[in-house]
């Protein structure tokens, strides 16, 4: 038995070595079969990704026409041209603010919806803007930010709140007739008489600049006050059809009710009064010898809200529309991660005496850190290529102040500039800005696979 085994193991009687089997992959598939199946995807990847990137890098080294080699001049122009520098600055603001704000709101919504009765309905409402295209969202918020409070929702709300705490001007377009009136401009939109008022002699303060049929409410006819006190009349020195004497209270001329009148001596207000329904007012005896002033608050233009799309606020306004669209996306992803958190850890922390804020900050947020990083990185990549919202919401006069790199790429190449060299250089710069974020994301995915 032992000799037979020895013969088999070595020597002349040894069995021949079998031929090597065809090489296969880990899954048991032959290499050429795998390559054959991957070939269409590789061709598409090369045609749609690799070739455009390579061509953009090559085109960025030439001038606008593509005939002259300029080297790195297009890249130098990016960091010297004022419009492009504004785009770089605004892109940095977008990357720093928008992803963090959206992620924070998504986290808050995800945590709160777990504790409310109609959490599912709330999630649905918050997520609905994701179904709207950027174009439609831009049109919606262009109307929301409209300056006219009668059209723009944002300013309608702002003006409504403002009017609750501030008195609205009574007659914003009224003014004295300098030819017949003693009133003269005295700064701040106010008007002051040149002469002093005397007891027993009514002070006549005629105003013009308002059509009689545009007066608020149902105004009464103006009257001349009687009595020996310090009195006067504020009225509209004009009537439909004309006629009458300028500077005098004529029949049919309307009273201006609610006009504030101040008596001023030595630069100080010693008494105030408000005109009544017939336009008359009465001041105390201390006003005798004072000059009369109609404060600018009587004639101030009505408050029309905030210039949301002006040079100062246009970028925050557009970011606000982006947050409205993407907060639902962040909420859904974070809520999915929150569903996998071990509730025993949360209950154990509460049993140990931790309050809800401590549980949220020390338990919930650290456990959700991987999900928060995914959301944050995804949004950072997304905002670097933001284009639609800025292009649609920002009006033409302030579009330069809201400019971003993706919009500048379009404007340089197709928006009248026709400089495809500069546009390609901006595209390459955008790619270089995205690569570090993608590298961080890939490293995170590899670490998760190794766990």
């Amino acid at each position: 038995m032992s000799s037979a085994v020895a013969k088999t193991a070595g020597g002349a009687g040894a069995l021949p070595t079998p031929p090597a089997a065809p090489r296969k992959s880990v899954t048991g598939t032959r290499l050429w079969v795998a390559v054959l199946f991957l070939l269409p995807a590789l061709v598409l990847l090369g045609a749609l990704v690799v070739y455009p990137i390579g061509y953009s890098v090559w085109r960025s080294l030439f001038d606008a026409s593509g005939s002259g080699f300029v080297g790195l001049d297009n890249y130098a122009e990016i960091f010297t041209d004022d419009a492009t520098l504004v785009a770089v600055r605004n892109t940095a603001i977008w990357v720093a603010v928008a992803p963090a704000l959206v992620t924070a709101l998504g986290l808050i919504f995800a945590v709160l919806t777990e504790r409310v009765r109609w959490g599912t309905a709330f999630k649905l409402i918050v997520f609905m803007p994701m179904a709207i295209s950027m174009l439609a969202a831009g049109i919606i918020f262009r109307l929301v930010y409209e300056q006219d409070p009668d059209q723009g929702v944002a300013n309608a709300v702002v003006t409504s709140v403002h009017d609750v705490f501030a008195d609205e001007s009574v007659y914003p377009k009224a003014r004295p007739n300098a030819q017949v009136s003693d009133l003269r401009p005295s700064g701040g939109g106010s008007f002051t008489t040149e002469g002093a008022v005397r007891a027993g002699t009514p002070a006549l303060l005629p105003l013009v600049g308002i059509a009689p049929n545009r007066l608020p409410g149902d105004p009464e006819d103006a009257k001349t006050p009687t009595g020996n006190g310090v009195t006067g009349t504020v009225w509209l020195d004009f009537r439909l059809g004309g006629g009458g004497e300028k500077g005098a209270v004529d029949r049919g001329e309307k009273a201006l009710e609610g006009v504030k009148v101040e008596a001023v001596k030595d630069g100080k207000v010693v008494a105030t009064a408000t005109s009544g329904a017939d336009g008359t007012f009465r001041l105390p005896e201390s006003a005798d010898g004072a000059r009369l002033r109609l404060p600018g608050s009587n004639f101030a233009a009505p408050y029309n809200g905030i210039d949301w799309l002006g040079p100062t606020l246009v970028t925050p306004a557009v970011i606000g529309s982006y947050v409205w669209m993407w907060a639902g996306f962040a909420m859904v992803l974070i809520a999915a991660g929150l569903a996998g958190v071990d509730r025993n850890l949360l209950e154990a922390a509460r049993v140990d005496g931790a309050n809800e804020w401590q549980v949220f900050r020390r338990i919930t947020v650290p456990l959700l850190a991987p999900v928060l990083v995914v959301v944050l990185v995804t949004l950072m990549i997304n905002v670097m290529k933001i284009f639609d919202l800025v292009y649609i919401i920002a009006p033409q006069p302030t579009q330069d102040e809201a400019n971003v790199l993706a919009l500048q790429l379009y404007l340089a190449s197709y928006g009248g500039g026709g400089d495809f060299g500069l546009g390609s250089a901006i595209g390459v710069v955008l790619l270089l800005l995205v690569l570090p974020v993608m590298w961080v994301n890939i490293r995170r995915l590899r670490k998760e696979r190794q766990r």
Side-chain angles (χ1 to χ4, degrees):
M1 180 75 177
S2 60
S3 61
V5 173
K7 268 188 171 185
T8 305
L15 295 176
T17 304
R23 186 179 178 185
K24 295 183 178 182
S25 66
V26 177
T27 59
T29 305
R30 289 180 174 84
L31 182 61
W32 68 270
V33 176
V35 172
L36 184 63
F37 274 93
L38 289 175
L39 187 60
L42 293 175
V43 171
L44 287 175
L45 183 66
L48 300 179
V49 178
V50 178
Y51 172 74
I53 292 176
Y55 180 78
S56 296
V57 174
W58 175 81
R59 185 65 179 81
S60 68
L61 303 177
F62 289 80
D63 58 11
S65 62
S67 58
F69 181 80
V70 296
L72 300 178
D73 287 354
N74 287 322
Y75 295 94
E77 185 175 350
I78 292 176
F79 299 100
T80 55
D81 180 65
D82 291 339
T84 312
L85 284 176
V86 171
V88 172
R89 181 201 66 191
N90 288 338
T91 302
I93 293 174
W94 272 87
V95 173
V97 175
L101 191 57
V102 172
T103 304
L105 282 177
L107 176 61
I108 294 172
F109 289 157
V111 172
L112 292 181
T113 49
E114 281 202 331
R115 298 174 174 271
V116 297
R117 187 173 183 180
W118 300 97
T120 303
F122 180 80
K123 289 180 181 178
L124 178 63
I125 294 173
V126 176
F127 189 76
M128 280 179 62
M130 285 295 299
I132 303 175
S133 67
M134 288 282 194
L135 174 64
I139 295 174
I140 290 171
F141 275 87
R142 182 64 182 270
L143 296 175
V144 168
Y145 292 135
E146 184 67 37
Q147 178 68 38
D148 187 355
D150 294 332
Q151 299 179 12
V153 176
N155 272 340
V157 174
V158 171
T159 53
S160 298
V161 174
H162 174 272
D163 292 343
V164 171
F165 299 98
D167 295 332
E168 186 177 359
S169 58
V170 184
Y171 306 103
K173 296 183 179 180
R175 65 184 187 279
N177 187 344
Q179 296 180 352
V180 297
S181 175
D182 192 29
L183 291 166
R184 296 292 181 267
S186 54
S190 62
F191 299 94
T192 306
T193 59
E194 291 185 333
V197 65
R198 296 297 178 184
T201 304
L204 301 182
L205 306 177
L207 297 177
V208 295
I210 311 174
N213 56 352
R214 296 293 181 89
L215 292 175
D218 187 16
E220 299 180 6
D221 290 344
K223 296 180 180 179
T224 302
T226 58
N228 297 323
V230 181
T231 60
T233 303
V234 185
W235 84 101
L236 180 62
D237 193 18
F238 175 80
R239 64 181 178 182
L240 295 176
E245 180 184 354
K246 294 299 180 182
V249 179
D250 298 314
R251 182 186 299 273
E253 294 181 339
K254 299 300 181 181
L256 298 181
E257 182 182 4
V259 177
K260 185 178 180 180
V261 182
E262 297 176 341
V264 181
K265 286 184 179 181
D266 299 325
K268 296 181 179 180
V269 178
V270 296
T272 60
T274 302
S275 59
D278 58 359
T280 62
F281 61 89
R282 184 175 296 274
L283 291 164
E285 296 181 359
S286 60
D288 189 18
R291 294 196 300 167
L292 300 183
R293 180 171 65 189
L294 302 182
S297 57
N298 294 313
F299 316 108
Y303 181 69
N304 287 323
I306 301 171
D307 188 8
W308 297 103
L309 300 181
T312 304
L313 295 177
V314 62
T315 295
V318 181
I319 291 177
S321 66
Y322 179 87
V323 171
W324 175 79
M325 285 195 66
W326 286 86
F329 166 82
M331 178 195 65
V332 169
L333 291 186
I334 296 172
L338 190 61
V341 172
D342 188 358
R343 304 297 167 174
N344 293 327
L345 296 175
L346 305 180
E347 293 301 327
R350 293 187 180 100
V351 170
D352 289 341
N355 56 36
E356 292 301 320
W357 169 246
Q358 291 173 328
V359 172
F360 173 76
R361 184 167 59 92
R362 297 179 179 272
I363 307 295
T364 305
V365 173
L367 291 176
L368 289 176
V371 179
L372 296 177
V373 171
V374 171
V375 174
L376 192 63
V377 170
T378 303
L379 293 173
M380 288 177 67
I381 296 174
N382 184 267
V383 298
M384 285 187 188
K385 57 183 182 180
I386 195 71
F387 167 80
D388 316 60
L389 290 177
V390 180
Y391 187 69
I392 297 169
I393 295 177
Q396 194 63 40
T398 58
Q399 195 174 87
D400 291 341
E401 282 75 13
N403 199 7
V404 290
L405 280 175
L407 178 58
Q408 182 62 20
L409 187 156
Y410 168 79
L411 295 176
S413 301
Y414 305 101
D419 192 343
F420 292 99
L422 178 59
S424 299
I426 296 175
V428 173
V429 169
L430 274 175
L431 175 64
L432 295 177
L433 292 175
V434 171
L435 286 178
V437 182
M438 294 179 62
W439 179 74
V440 170
N441 203 24
I442 292 172
R443 284 195 60 187
R444 182 193 57 80
L445 291 174
R446 286 180 177 175
K447 287 181 179 180
E448 288 187 357
R449 289 178 181 176
Q450 292 173 1
R451 292 178 180 176

